[in-house]
Amino acid sequence: MVRYKAVIAYDGTNFHGFQRQPNGRTVQEEIENTLQKMNNGQPIMIFGSGRTDAGVHAIGQVIHFDFPQERPEERMRFGLDTQTPDDIAVRSIEIVSEEFHARYDVQEKTYQFKVQIQKPRSPFLRFYAAYYPYPLDLDKIQQALPDLLGTHDFTSFCATGSSIEDKVRTIYQADMEVNADRSEITFIFRGNGFLYKMIRILVGTLLKIGNGRLAADSLPEIIAQKDRNAAGPTAHPEGLYLAEVKYKKTK
Amino acid sequence: MVRYKAVIAYDGTNFHGFQRQPNGRTVQEEIENTLQKMNNGQPIMIFGSGRTDAGVHAIGQVIHFDFPQERPEERMRFGLDTQTPDDIAVRSIEIVSEEFHARYDVQEKTYQFKVQIQKPRSPFLRFYAAYYPYPLDLDKIQQALPDLLGTHDFTSFCATGSSIEDKVRTIYQADMEVNADRSEITFIFRGNGFLYKMIRILVGTLLKIGNGRLAADSLPEIIAQKDRNAAGPTAHPEGLYLAEVKYKKTK
């Protein structure tokens, strides 16, 4: 068995998320089906760095899988890329140690969240950005973002019903970029891990701050409350992109 | 009757082009259906600055139509924008003289054509850019572009079967922009009018120059031949955007 690590991109619009499920097309299912064909009909399981929800996109999701024979990396990449559907791209593949695990060895993840803030809603962004055509003071959002940095218990920003017990995470980067014509903003969050729907709740809360319905300095208090009801709403999935996954030094 | 001029954008992916036809969903049909609803069931015809083919997008297509009652411009824009499907956006509407005609009064049009030039094909660009993953010398394309400027008989760049007799057009601008990571190029063409499939044949020819299969100085000779076979292939429609239509001073 040879272990392969692959960096993949996908347009989440027509997927019911990354993880295989009984009803609905998923990224895992499509890639596993392709690998099975490449493996003479024998099934192969893939492991992702984490799940993504329905409608959520990936620029740099990472997976690993074991293949019975060693094939040159570029041949494996090309085969998998061209045989998966067009809404999945295989950007790179490398052979790694069999101790590498796409999920357990994650060191940090970067997410981007794109919001269209100008009317009318662009037909080109309807699946690729959330839409917020309301008054927005971007300075207030800029002012609030640094309060997210560092190590905190992010219970207030975790969807209720999550079974994860330890909700302490460290955020290294929390930035916002504005495009040239000020029609779109993009949030960038980088951390050692994120809770279920955490980025979307962070964005929903930051937009509420920008809209003036929460004070610019309210994040520390919201974090301290450890209560999902203290934070803002969950932003729509179509704005979210898993941008990059970094790993500990390959074993 | 009050004449309205509207600037619209649409994602051409799920349309069989702009112009109404018996089989297949079109932009004209969707807008006319919406206007009919807004007009108590009485039909209203729209006139576009020109057609766009299946898969071709618009950022700034212009239409005009006559509506029996005068309504405030923003109310008309909002009504039409929100009642048309999500792949059409109504960007602006203004009341114009009843002598204004969206097609006959065109002074110049600007088209953009986007090409992804890096492997693998991005899932996010599969409907929004043509794909050319072959060797490309961008300097040769830059060198060739100025040969398109000015007034020429563009018969060589007109799809065969076009019924238009006068194939003389004037091109004011022919540029290429490269994005930051050199994964995409965007052509910009501005002229007093373009023939059927002209932009796509221009792009197919320029890519052939960049690929070295035509010399960088071959455009004047191709134009002189007045023969469609002298030019390159027709680039795919998904890269093409009608960006802007300008008019003579409103009468």
Side-chain angles (χ1 to χ4, degrees):
Chain A
M1 283 292 180
V2 182
R3 184 155 293 186
Y4 289 86
K5 172 191 176 192
V7 180
I8 63 171
Y10 47 85
D11 176 341
T13 308
N14 297 320
F15 289 111
H16 285 73
F18 177 82
Q19 195 176 46
R20 194 184 267 274
Q21 52 167 267
N23 306 308
R25 178 177 180 254
T26 64
V27 177
Q28 184 179 9
E29 177 191 8
E30 291 287 5
I31 294 178
E32 287 181 346
N33 287 352
T34 304
L35 282 170
Q36 184 166 357
K37 275 185 227 158
M38 293 168 72
N39 190 33
N40 299 316
Q42 297 304 306
I44 286 180
M45 264 184 83
I46 67 167
F47 297 84
S49 75
R51 311 174 189 181
T52 54
D53 284 334
V56 173
H57 311 292
I59 302 166
Q61 167 71 294
V62 175
I63 61 169
H64 84 257
F65 58 88
D66 293 326
F67 202 81
Q69 311 100 34
E70 180 165 340
R71 290 195 188 174
E73 291 166 339
E74 174 54 21
R75 212 181 111 201
M76 182 65 98
R77 188 205 68 74
F78 183 80
L80 197 53
D81 182 48
T82 52
Q83 292 177 68
T84 44
D86 288 347
D87 47 1
I88 298 174
V90 181
R91 295 177 51 194
S92 64
I93 278 193
E94 56 176 322
I95 293 170
V96 289
S97 147
E98 63 184 23
E99 285 166 34
F100 172 83
H101 196 289
R103 182 163 163 216
Y104 300 139
D105 296 346
V106 171
Q107 189 166 49
E108 56 179 58
K109 282 186 174 182
T110 305
Y111 283 92
Q112 295 173 3
F113 195 102
K114 199 187 273 196
V115 188
Q116 190 198 336
I117 58 173
Q118 254 185 15
K119 285 189 244 189
R121 186 163 200 180
S122 165
F124 302 105
L125 293 177
R126 68 198 198 282
F127 303 127
Y128 305 110
Y131 181 51
Y132 196 85
Y134 310 107
L136 212 49
D137 183 337
L138 298 182
D139 290 340
K140 286 188 179 166
I141 296 178
Q142 292 285 15
Q143 203 182 319
L145 281 165
D147 288 336
L148 295 172
L149 299 177
T151 303
H152 305 284
D153 181 323
F154 282 102
T155 299
S156 296
F157 295 95
C158 181
T160 51
S162 166
S163 60
I164 301 252
E165 289 198 8
D166 177 10
K167 287 172 179 157
V168 175
R169 297 290 183 277
T170 303
I171 296 188
Y172 309 117
Q173 183 188 2
D175 287 329
M176 180 181 67
E177 290 173 359
V178 186
N179 74 336
D181 67 359
R182 300 183 77 81
S183 60
E184 297 166 31
I185 55 176
T186 302
F187 293 99
I188 299 116
F189 298 102
R190 188 165 55 84
N192 67 349
F194 294 91
L195 303 165
Y196 188 49
K197 297 198 179 166
M198 177 168 160
I199 306 277
R200 292 165 57 189
I201 300 169
L202 285 173
V203 171
T205 307
L206 288 161
L207 292 173
K208 209 168 169 179
I209 288 172
N211 189 241
R213 288 175 296 132
L214 277 176
D217 61 359
S218 58
L219 288 178
E221 174 57 24
I222 293 172
I223 293 172
Q225 286 191 50
K226 297 182 192 167
D227 176 4
R228 169 70 188 90
N229 296 312
T234 307
H236 284 210
E238 68 267 20
L240 185 56
Y241 296 75
L242 172 53
E244 194 178 4
V245 187
K246 281 197 175 168
Y247 290 89
K248 297 162 193 157
K249 276 216 180 95
T250 312
K251 293 162 196 163
Chain B
M1 283 291 180
V2 183
R3 184 154 293 186
Y4 289 87
K5 171 191 175 192
V7 180
I8 63 170
Y10 47 85
D11 176 342
T13 309
N14 298 320
F15 289 110
H16 285 74
F18 177 82
Q19 194 177 48
R20 194 184 266 272
Q21 51 167 268
N23 306 307
R25 178 176 181 253
T26 64
V27 176
Q28 183 178 10
E29 177 190 9
E30 291 287 4
I31 295 178
E32 287 181 348
N33 288 352
T34 303
L35 282 169
Q36 184 165 357
K37 275 185 228 158
M38 292 169 71
N39 190 33
N40 299 317
Q42 297 304 306
I44 286 180
M45 262 184 84
I46 68 167
F47 297 84
S49 74
R51 312 174 190 180
T52 54
D53 283 334
V56 173
H57 312 292
I59 302 166
Q61 167 72 292
V62 174
I63 61 169
H64 85 257
F65 58 88
D66 293 326
F67 202 80
Q69 311 100 34
E70 181 165 339
R71 291 196 188 173
E73 292 167 339
E74 175 54 21
R75 210 180 113 201
M76 181 65 100
R77 188 206 67 76
F78 183 80
L80 197 53
D81 182 48
T82 51
Q83 292 176 68
T84 44
D86 288 347
D87 47 1
I88 298 174
V90 180
R91 295 177 51 195
S92 64
I93 278 192
E94 57 176 323
I95 293 170
V96 289
S97 145
E98 62 184 24
E99 287 167 33
F100 171 83
H101 196 289
R103 180 163 164 215
Y104 301 139
D105 295 346
V106 171
Q107 189 165 47
E108 57 179 56
K109 283 188 174 180
T110 305
Y111 283 92
Q112 295 173 3
F113 194 102
K114 198 188 273 197
V115 188
Q116 189 198 335
I117 58 172
Q118 254 184 16
K119 287 190 241 187
R121 186 162 201 181
S122 165
F124 303 105
L125 294 177
R126 66 199 198 281
F127 303 127
Y128 305 110
Y131 181 51
Y132 196 84
Y134 309 107
L136 213 48
D137 183 337
L138 298 183
D139 289 340
K140 285 188 178 166
I141 297 178
Q142 292 287 15
Q143 203 181 320
L145 281 165
D147 287 337
L148 295 172
L149 298 176
T151 303
H152 305 283
D153 182 322
F154 283 103
T155 299
S156 296
F157 296 94
C158 180
T160 51
S162 166
S163 59
I164 302 253
E165 289 197 9
D166 178 10
K167 289 174 179 155
V168 175
R169 297 291 183 277
T170 303
I171 297 189
Y172 308 118
Q173 184 188 1
D175 286 329
M176 180 181 66
E177 290 173 358
V178 187
N179 74 336
D181 67 0
R182 301 182 76 80
S183 61
E184 297 166 30
I185 55 176
T186 302
F187 294 97
I188 299 116
F189 298 101
R190 188 166 55 84
N192 67 350
F194 293 90
L195 302 165
Y196 188 51
K197 297 198 178 166
M198 178 167 159
I199 306 277
R200 291 165 57 188
I201 301 170
L202 285 173
V203 170
T205 307
L206 288 162
L207 292 173
K208 207 167 171 180
I209 287 172
N211 190 240
R213 288 175 297 132
L214 276 176
D217 61 357
S218 58
L219 288 178
E221 174 57 25
I222 292 172
I223 293 170
Q225 287 191 48
K226 297 181 193 167
D227 177 3
R228 170 68 188 89
N229 295 312
T234 308
H236 285 209
E238 69 268 21
L240 185 56
Y241 295 75
L242 173 53
E244 193 177 5
V245 187
K246 281 198 174 165
Y247 289 89
K248 298 160 194 159
K249 275 213 182 98
T250 312
K251 292 161 196 163

